[in-house]
Amino acid sequence: MMCCSKKICNGCFHANEIREMKASLIPSCSFCRQPVQAGDKLEKQRMTRIEANDPAAMSQKGIELDKKGDYQSALTYFTKAAGLGDAEAHYWLSHLYSDGLGV
C-alpha cells in the first residue's frame, strides 16, 4: 500500500521497484517517494487515512481483515469504501456476498 493511499497503475509501481533495485534504494511509496512504513506506524497511518474518509485506505484495511478471516469487519470497511466510489471495494463486496461471508 502506498503511504499516501494513492492508487497508481501496476506499471508505475513496477517501474518504481526497478528504480529502487537498480539504485539500491530503500523501499518507498511509488507516489510520493516517502519511505514505506511498517508495523504499528503503518497501521496508525492507515487509520489516520480512514478517519479522513480515504476509500483506498478503507479497501486496504478490508482486504487485510478478509485475509485474517474477519469477514464482518471487512464487510463494514468495503461497504463504506464502495459508498465513496472505490471500485476495488465493489469487487471485494461481490466476493463476500458471492461466498456468503460476513453477510
Side-chain angles (χ1 to χ4, degrees):
M1 177 173 141
M2 305 299 119
C3 71
C4 50
S5 298
K6 302 292 183 191
K7 291 198 180 224
I8 61 169
C9 72
N10 289 337
C12 294
F13 181 80
H14 184 64
N16 186 54
E17 285 184 326
I18 291 171
R19 180 187 66 84
E20 290 171 351
M21 284 189 313
K22 285 183 178 178
S24 300
L25 302 172
I26 60 169
S28 64
C29 171
S30 301
F31 189 79
C32 70
R33 305 279 195 237
Q34 295 297 317
V36 175
Q37 302 293 329
D40 292 337
K41 286 184 178 183
L42 175 63
E43 185 61 23
K44 183 179 178 186
Q45 188 173 32
R46 181 184 298 149
M47 292 311 293
T48 300
R49 298 300 315 146
I50 289 171
E51 290 167 7
N53 283 330
D54 183 335
M58 290 177 199
S59 275
Q60 289 299 317
K61 182 68 174 177
I63 292 169
E64 178 185 303
L65 292 168
D66 180 83
K67 289 180 180 179
K68 289 181 180 178
D70 186 357
Y71 304 115
Q72 193 102 26
S73 297
L75 179 72
T76 302
Y77 281 104
F78 290 139
T79 301
K80 190 166 183 184
L84 293 169
D86 188 75
E88 186 175 28
H90 282 280
Y91 165 78
W92 282 95
L93 277 174
S94 72
H95 161 69
L96 291 177
Y97 279 104
S98 174
D99 294 342
L101 302 170
V103 295

